[in-house]
Amino acid sequence: MSEQDRQSDKSQEIDLEKVGRLIEALELDLARVRSGSEDMKRLRDEVETLKNVLNSPIRRHHWVRDGLHSVRVGLEEKLDSALAEGLKAGQYVAEIGRILGL
């Protein structure tokens, strides 16, 4: 593997501790949202899946990256009603963007 390939791999790595803290906070906020809508169920499922990936003995950064993208899309889709329900969706979208380097 060339030096450039190694540097590219490093730039693709994600701070898994930051992701873990973000998922914990998001999970707590989602627990407070009473909506039983299908969108909220999907968002909760995405968060649970990402939590399982983070707790897996084998962590693949691309799995975490894909999971973060799914959560971000779910938050963006639910943003208007989630804000009305008290979820700080905008803050999570921004933090996920920072973690992903967007």
Side-chain angles (χ1 to χ4, degrees):
M1 180 181 276
S2 74
E3 181 64 29
Q4 185 178 11
D5 289 339
R6 274 182 252 142
Q7 287 177 347
S8 177
D9 286 346
K10 291 249 186 232
S11 69
Q12 301 255 335
E13 288 187 6
I14 294 173
D15 185 336
L16 298 178
E17 288 181 36
K18 268 188 186 176
V19 174
R21 288 190 302 268
L22 178 107
I23 292 303
E24 285 176 15
L26 183 54
E27 195 172 37
L28 289 173
D29 279 349
L30 284 172
R32 287 185 232 144
V33 176
R34 290 180 177 71
S35 173
S37 72
E38 194 61 34
D39 289 338
M40 287 305 292
K41 183 183 179 322
R42 268 194 303 263
L43 184 55
R44 285 184 178 106
D45 289 347
E46 292 291 345
V47 169
E48 185 64 29
T49 299
L50 185 50
K51 183 178 169 184
N52 290 336
V53 167
L54 289 171
N55 290 330
S56 171
I58 300 172
R59 292 180 174 176
R60 301 276 193 257
H61 285 268
H62 64 279
W63 292 347
V64 174
R65 183 176 297 281
D66 290 346
L68 281 171
H69 275 294
S70 294
V71 169
R72 187 170 193 244
V73 167
L75 283 169
E76 287 174 336
E77 289 174 356
K78 192 67 178 152
L79 188 61
D80 291 335
S81 57
L83 285 174
E85 296 176 38
L87 182 64
K88 303 172 285 191
Q91 289 176 310
Y92 290 113
V93 169
E95 183 63 21
I96 290 170
R98 280 190 290 278
I99 290 171
L100 293 173
L102 301 175

